[in-house]
Amino acid sequence: MSEPSYFVSFWLRKILVPVDGSENSLRALDLAVDFGMRYGSKITIIHICSDCNNTNDIQSLIEKRVNNKIEYDLKIVKINIKESSVSNEILKVINEEPYDAVIMGARGTSLNSDINIGSTALAISINAPVSVILVR
């Protein structure tokens, strides 16, 4: 029997994690932190907002969840909802930089709890040119 190899560390060198403050997005962040600790993945957290007045709240949620376990980059992107969407902005970021994967919550902060997967998660999983891991 041969020694275990860590192919995962090559597959997931750079991970993008969209965070909107929902519990699913924070669980996705937990998974990304675990990949960062186990495989040395570089984690970039992105928060996209139209009204970026609560960025301190998001930053404190992220810092509390990461708890100094890994180093990460945080990007806050302000958008105009009339000109773009959250999924379009995430796809732009994915296409601008060489990410290996996206880890995101299956549902965000939408009010409809009857759906299994949110529109942003669906758009990213269908259109992203990289692997997408959806966390419930």
Coordinates of all heavy atoms in Angstrom, one line a residue, residues 9 39 134:
S9 N -4.6 19.2 -2.5 CA -3.9 20.4 -2.3 C -3.5 21.1 -3.6 O -3.3 22.3 -3.7 CB -2.6 20.2 -1.5 OG -1.7 19.3 -2.1
Y39 N -4.8 21.8 3.7 CA -4.1 21.8 2.4 C -3.3 23.0 2.0 O -2.7 23.1 0.9 CB -5.1 21.4 1.3 CG -5.9 20.2 1.6 CD1 -7.2 20.2 1.8 CD2 -5.2 18.9 1.7 CE1 -8.0 19.1 2.1 CE2 -5.9 17.8 2.0 CZ -7.3 17.9 2.2 OH -8.0 16.7 2.5
L134 N -21.3 23.7 -3.0 CA -22.4 24.4 -2.3 C -22.6 23.7 -0.9 O -22.7 22.5 -0.8 CB -23.7 24.2 -3.1 CG -23.7 24.9 -4.5 CD1 -25.0 24.6 -5.2 CD2 -23.4 26.3 -4.4

